[in-house]
RNA sequence: GCGCCCGUAGCUCAGUUGGAUAGAGCGUCGGGCUUCGAACCCGCAGGUCGCAGGUUCAAUUCCUGCCGGGCGCACCA
């Protein structure tokens, strides 16, 4: 369709009817009202200024130059200022169903990304405790983005950065050791800012059971280190298990500690120093990030000789660049947004445009129960973890809720609502649409009716507005996928799926697909159901089912045949 | 104080990257299963798109300034 439009414009240009010095964006949108046709474009109005002609005249010129107009369009009209409304012939729409059948699970996929390599990093929580709900949202968003970008032709790797070095890990070890000493009846002091969650005590109990004697013999410093390593292994395993429960996978796990032990951090610093991007002041070492738009320079090595977390992040992102990625995506909690300028400075310091790093910010999740906000106190270690939520509502529901809203806005997550297997739950609404169609095949099979191949079916009988509405929606899927992926906005896909499901439910409720069992049609049916119509509708249903499944899959959710 | 994000129906949120009469779910009220799954559908009501300017054929959308809310401004991560 858009190529027809482009053809019309270039045809008009060739004939000298339009100048078209700069090509306008050829937007071809589905209008809001059915009487405005299937597709509408505003190019005539966009061109009015540069052509110095009335938009209406320009629209007329475009119409006159439309190639294959009679084959493609049923109706073409110009409305008031210069809207160009196109009504596509049903016989053309129907081709979408053949595409879907032919491409099946590949329908909607494109090679837009042309194989460009993307590294997307998400979650990356400290292995100092269980994942909280905010991590869950980041995980769902990160995975959905990774899958969608793959679907539109990028070569994507998803990675988890393990913050297994530095102060937080020391605190972890000290916290576990303190609990261990308490259990042993020895005097213990919990460090300031120590971890107070109940899981710390549980870890202390396990280490006491497995190597208590050895621990008692060690001087405190070594004992703490041992506790730290033990707790680290347990907590990393816990995090992996939590992610698995949510149905999130990573292709790569990257250790911060490995950057320190391999000397990569020192090398990254030396590299910066050789180009005068790192300097000494007040006994510390500073990254000259202000040279690249950051508001001030940043410490990478403290007076006490320890590297800051920024030093690790510099080395980490340098490593990502050295691995040859065209684009780096970091998914962060939005409270880290102030960190973006310095990381973009890092990009530039290593010779990349700052746009090579794109940060996707994810806002907080507010949990509700019984209409009340669930208060969390991280200090006291009292909070509902991501795992609690997954265990309570299920992984598909959790993911759908996490993806339902624009990631950069606060999300309200009503646990009571999410738990209901009812009309109020948008997840089931979408999945139910899929299951309903699956059920149709089961019924059809018992009546000896098979779903015919689209190529052998006369789809031109699909002329009902409800049928064409569904088909139009199906045809929009590839664009939604592309916009959702490249705009880093997975919520658009969840929204689309809800709309498609709504159309399906409406259609399903209003029209019959299979003939009634047993007796022939009795009473006064609103429409006659011929075998040909049944066949065409079965093909339509299969298309809807396929697209629902593709959409759910690309968001990381299941498309059940039964509920 | 400076910076980033958010203000759209009673509530939670969409709004296709400047288009036509601003949409959906929940909630309220009223209807619909002897026929393919009622975890569904249909209808009614509900709006100065935070406020005020500006840009143009056209602004919920872009710019500026206010108001309100969130977050950030470490030799913590």
């Amino acid at each position: 369709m858009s190529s027809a439009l482009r053809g019309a414009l270039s045809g008009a240009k060739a004939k000298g009817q339009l100048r078209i010095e700069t090509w306008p964006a050829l937007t071809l949108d589905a209008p809001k009202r059915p009487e405005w046709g299937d597709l509408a474009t505003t190019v005539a109005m966009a061109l009015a200024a540069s052509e110095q002609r009335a938009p209406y005249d320009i629209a007329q010129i475009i119409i006159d130059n439309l190639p294959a107009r009679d084959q493609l369009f049923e109706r073409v009209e110009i409305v008031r200022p210069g809207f160009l409304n196109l009504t596509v012939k049903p016989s053309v729409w129907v081709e979408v169903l053949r595409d879907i059948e032919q491409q099946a699970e590949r329908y909607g996929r494109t090679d837009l990304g042309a194989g460009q390599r993307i590294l997307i990093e998400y979650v990356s929580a400290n292995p100092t405790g269980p994942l909280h709900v905010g991590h869950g949202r980041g995980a769902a968003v990160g995975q959905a983005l990774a899958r969608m970008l793959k679907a539109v032709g990028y070569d994507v790797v998803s990675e988890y950065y393990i913050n297994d070095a530095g102060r937080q890990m020391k605190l972890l070890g000290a916290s576990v050791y303190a609990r261990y000493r308490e259990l042993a009846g020895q005097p213990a002091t919990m460090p300031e800012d120590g971890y107070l969650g109940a899981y710390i005590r549980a870890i202390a109990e396990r280490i006491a059971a497995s190597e208590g004697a050895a621990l008692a013999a060690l001087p405190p410093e070594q004992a703490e280190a041992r506790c730290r390593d033990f707790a680290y292994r347990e907590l990393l395993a816990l995090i992996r298990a939590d992610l698995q429960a949510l149905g999130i996978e990573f292709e790569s796990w990257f250790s911060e500690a490995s950057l320190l032990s391999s000397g990569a951090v020192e090398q990254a610093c030396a590299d910066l120093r050789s180009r005068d991007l790192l300097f000494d002041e007040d006994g510390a070492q500073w990254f000259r990030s202000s040279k690249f738009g950051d508001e001030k320079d940043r410490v990478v090595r403290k007076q006490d000789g320890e590297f800051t977390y920024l030093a690790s992040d510099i080395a980490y992102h340098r490593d990502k660049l050295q691995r040859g990625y065209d684009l780096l995506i970091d998914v962060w909690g939005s409270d880290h947004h102030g960190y973006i300028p310095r990381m973009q400075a890092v990009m530039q310091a290593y010779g990349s445009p700052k746009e090579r790093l794109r940060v996707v910010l994810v806002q907080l999740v507010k949990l509700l129960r019984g209409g009340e906000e669930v208060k969390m106190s991280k200090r006291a270690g009292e909070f509902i973890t991501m795992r609690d939520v997954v265990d309570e509502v299920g992984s598909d529901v959790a993911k759908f809720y996490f993806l339902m809203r624009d990631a950069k806005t606060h999300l309200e997550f009503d646990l009571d609502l999410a738990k209901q297997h009812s009309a109020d739950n948008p997840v089931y609404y979408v999945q139910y649409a899929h299951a309903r169609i699956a059920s149709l095949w089961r019924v059809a099979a018992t009546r000896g009716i098979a779903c015919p191949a689209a190529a052998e079916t006369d789809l031109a009988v699909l002329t009902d507005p409800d049928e064409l509405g569904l088909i139009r929606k199906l045809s929009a899927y590839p664009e939604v996928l592309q916009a959702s992926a490249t705009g880093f906005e997975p919520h658009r896909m969840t929204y689309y799926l809800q709309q498609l499901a709504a159309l399906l439910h409406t259609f399903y409720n209003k029209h019959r697909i299979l003939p009634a069992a047993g007796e022939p049609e009795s009473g006064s049916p609103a429409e006659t159901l011929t075998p040909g119509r049944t066949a065409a509708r079965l093909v339509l249903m299969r298309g809807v089912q396929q697209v629902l499944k593709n959409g759910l899959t690309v968001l990381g959710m299941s498309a059940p045949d039964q509920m």
Side-chain angles (χ1 to χ4, degrees):
Chain A
M1 295 303 146
S2 62
S3 65
L5 186 58
R6 205 172 303 120
L9 286 172
S10 51
K13 182 175 184 171
K15 288 192 224 162
Q17 292 170 318
L18 293 175
R19 288 202 297 273
I20 313 184
E21 278 137 14
T22 53
W23 275 73
L26 292 180
T27 49
L28 207 53
D29 303 319
K32 279 179 279 195
R33 309 182 81 81
E35 61 264 31
W36 295 334
D38 300 320
L39 297 165
T41 181
T42 57
V43 278
M45 288 180 283
L47 282 169
S50 65
E51 296 290 331
Q52 297 188 319
R53 302 183 64 159
Y56 195 96
D57 298 339
I58 297 173
Q60 188 59 53
I61 293 171
I62 293 172
I63 289 181
D64 293 340
N65 285 285
L66 269 180
R69 175 179 161 185
D70 294 337
Q71 286 83 355
L72 289 175
F73 304 107
E74 187 168 276
R75 207 160 48 101
V76 178
E77 59 182 8
I78 311 168
V79 181
R80 278 189 307 196
F83 291 100
L84 195 49
N85 293 341
L86 309 170
T87 304
V88 178
K89 283 197 168 180
S91 59
V92 174
W93 271 129
V94 137
E95 291 305 311
V96 173
L97 295 177
R98 302 195 208 281
D99 286 349
I100 295 171
E101 177 178 296
Q102 195 186 343
Q103 296 173 30
E105 71 282 351
R106 294 192 318 281
Y107 176 70
R109 301 179 82 95
T110 61
D111 58 359
L112 177 82
Q116 284 188 78
R117 300 182 62 210
I118 296 179
L119 183 78
I120 178 166
E121 177 210 331
Y122 52 98
V123 187
S124 297
N126 290 340
T128 54
L131 297 179
H132 58 243
V133 180
H135 292 132
R137 190 178 188 191
V141 168
Q143 177 177 253
L145 286 177
R147 288 188 175 210
M148 291 194 300
L149 287 164
K150 276 181 195 173
V152 295
Y154 291 90
D155 181 4
V156 185
V157 170
S158 53
E159 186 162 278
Y160 188 113
Y161 180 59
I162 311 166
N163 295 105
D164 52 0
R167 192 176 110 86
Q168 300 305 320
M169 294 305 292
K170 279 197 185 122
L171 273 175
L172 174 66
S175 301
V176 171
Y177 185 57
R179 291 296 188 216
Y180 159 79
R181 287 183 60 96
E182 275 178 19
L183 289 168
Q186 295 170 320
T189 51
M190 178 60 74
E192 200 175 337
D193 301 329
Y195 293 95
L196 304 176
Y199 63 94
I200 294 292
R201 197 184 305 273
I203 291 170
E205 283 170 9
R206 285 195 291 277
I207 194 172
S210 66
E211 46 190 297
L215 210 54
L218 288 174
E221 201 166 306
Q222 288 178 39
E224 275 189 20
R226 197 137 171 181
C227 285
R228 183 196 63 207
D229 292 344
F230 184 90
Y232 162 75
R233 279 193 302 275
E234 291 225 335
L235 289 171
L236 190 59
L238 177 70
I239 286 170
R240 285 177 186 266
D242 283 357
L243 288 168
Q244 194 174 8
L246 185 61
I248 302 290
E249 69 276 354
F250 288 90
E251 281 128 353
S252 171
W253 295 72
F254 196 101
S255 155
E256 178 187 3
S258 75
L259 289 168
L260 290 157
S261 61
S262 71
V265 174
E266 308 239 9
Q267 273 175 30
C269 290
D271 189 347
L272 292 176
R273 187 182 287 277
S274 72
R275 285 176 291 129
D276 193 34
L277 295 174
L278 188 129
F279 62 95
D280 299 311
E281 193 172 293
D282 298 335
Q285 295 181 10
W286 300 70
F287 169 43
R288 207 183 292 282
S289 56
S290 63
K291 190 177 172 186
F292 303 107
D294 194 10
E295 60 186 17
K296 60 182 188 178
D297 296 327
R298 308 289 176 176
V299 171
V300 294
R301 193 166 200 166
K302 297 183 272 185
Q303 287 178 334
D304 64 6
E306 291 277 315
F307 286 107
T308 63
Y309 61 92
L310 177 61
S312 298
D313 277 344
I314 289 172
Y316 178 41
H317 284 78
R318 176 173 179 258
D319 183 273
K320 290 183 184 178
L321 289 174
Q322 287 176 337
R323 281 187 267 162
Y325 291 102
D326 300 301
L327 179 65
L328 309 181
I329 300 174
D330 286 8
V331 179
W332 296 346
S334 62
D335 54 334
H336 289 71
H337 70 261
Y339 201 62
I340 295 173
R342 77 192 74 169
M343 288 314 294
Q344 290 185 326
V346 172
M347 289 295 113
Q348 294 170 82
Y350 290 115
S352 285
K354 66 180 181 190
E355 292 77 20
R356 186 159 288 174
L357 172 68
R358 294 288 302 271
V359 179
V360 176
L361 296 175
V362 179
Q363 260 291 7
L364 297 176
V365 178
K366 186 204 275 186
L367 284 178
L368 299 178
R369 191 192 294 283
E372 299 280 315
E373 180 173 0
V374 181
K375 293 290 180 191
M376 308 237 204
S377 164
K378 197 175 181 183
R379 264 204 65 72
E382 292 167 2
F383 52 89
I384 296 186
T385 64
M386 183 199 90
R387 185 58 179 268
D388 295 334
V389 171
V390 172
D391 288 346
E392 187 168 339
V393 306
S395 64
D396 279 345
V397 172
K399 272 186 284 201
F400 197 94
Y401 269 81
F402 288 144
L403 293 173
M404 217 164 29
R405 308 298 182 207
D406 189 342
K408 63 175 166 289
T409 65
H410 287 269
L411 173 68
E412 225 170 70
F413 194 133
D414 189 325
L415 286 165
D416 299 321
L417 201 60
K419 214 165 33 177
Q420 285 179 41
H421 292 210
S422 77
D424 303 343
N425 195 319
V427 191
Y428 294 121
Y429 186 79
V430 174
Q431 290 183 327
Y432 180 49
H434 184 271
R436 262 184 146 176
I437 298 172
S439 168
L440 193 62
W441 308 135
R442 292 190 290 269
V443 174
T446 64
R447 300 188 194 167
I449 299 171
C451 183
E456 298 160 11
T457 308
D458 177 17
L459 298 174
V461 300
L462 297 174
T463 53
D464 187 278
D466 293 324
E467 294 166 337
L468 292 173
L470 268 172
I471 292 172
R472 265 200 299 275
K473 202 70 189 173
L474 294 177
S475 76
Y477 176 75
E479 296 161 40
V480 172
L481 175 60
Q482 183 172 318
S484 197
T486 58
F488 305 144
E489 296 174 319
H491 72 284
R492 284 204 199 183
M493 182 58 79
T494 58
Y495 197 72
Y496 169 84
L497 290 175
Q498 290 179 83
Q499 291 178 322
L500 178 57
L503 291 176
L504 181 278
H505 288 309
T506 295
F507 177 86
Y508 196 89
N509 206 266
K510 192 164 157 190
H511 303 281
R512 290 202 56 83
I513 296 155
L514 299 171
E519 297 297 308
E521 296 279 337
S522 59
S524 56
E527 58 187 12
T528 51
L529 192 60
T530 62
R533 178 155 251 165
T534 288
R537 285 184 173 172
L538 286 171
V539 171
L540 172 60
M541 288 300 106
R542 195 172 46 201
V544 173
Q545 186 184 24
Q546 182 67 249
V547 171
L548 285 170
K549 185 173 187 173
N550 289 3
L552 286 166
T553 303
V554 85
L555 292 176
M557 281 173 276
S558 67
D561 287 342
Q562 291 185 56
M563 305 190 60

